[in-house]
Amino acid sequence: MPVSENKRKNNDAYNAKCDRIVIQPRKERGQEIREAAEAAGQSLQGYILQAVRERMERDKRG
């Protein structure tokens, strides 16, 4: 299904605000992370970003 011109423009504007960080865990670890995110009721991206934020906060206190 084609994306409307307006939707494409909105997607492009949103993506321009985003940084792209790629992680490539081994398949087994990737599956564990996906399962943990699902068990927490979060998207994979949300789960990973929350973990990173929590780690950054802990490291500040150290």
Side-chain angles (χ1 to χ4, degrees):
M1 181 167 149
V3 175
S4 72
E5 182 68 16
N6 191 44
K7 178 68 172 171
R8 188 191 59 75
K9 285 181 182 179
N10 287 339
N11 287 347
D12 290 346
Y14 175 78
N15 287 332
K17 298 175 189 176
C18 295
D19 191 6
R20 180 169 294 277
I21 300 171
V22 178
I23 63 168
Q24 293 182 276
R26 299 264 183 185
K27 289 187 183 283
E28 306 79 36
R29 179 55 55 120
Q31 186 58 39
E32 290 173 355
I33 296 167
R34 290 177 198 287
E35 290 170 2
E38 184 176 349
Q42 292 181 282
S43 68
L44 181 59
Q45 176 170 302
Y47 184 83
I48 292 170
L49 290 176
Q50 179 182 349
V52 169
R53 280 191 302 272
E54 289 175 3
R55 171 69 184 265
M56 290 169 63
E57 282 299 315
R58 270 197 322 269
D59 288 352
K60 280 183 196 175
R61 288 186 223 131

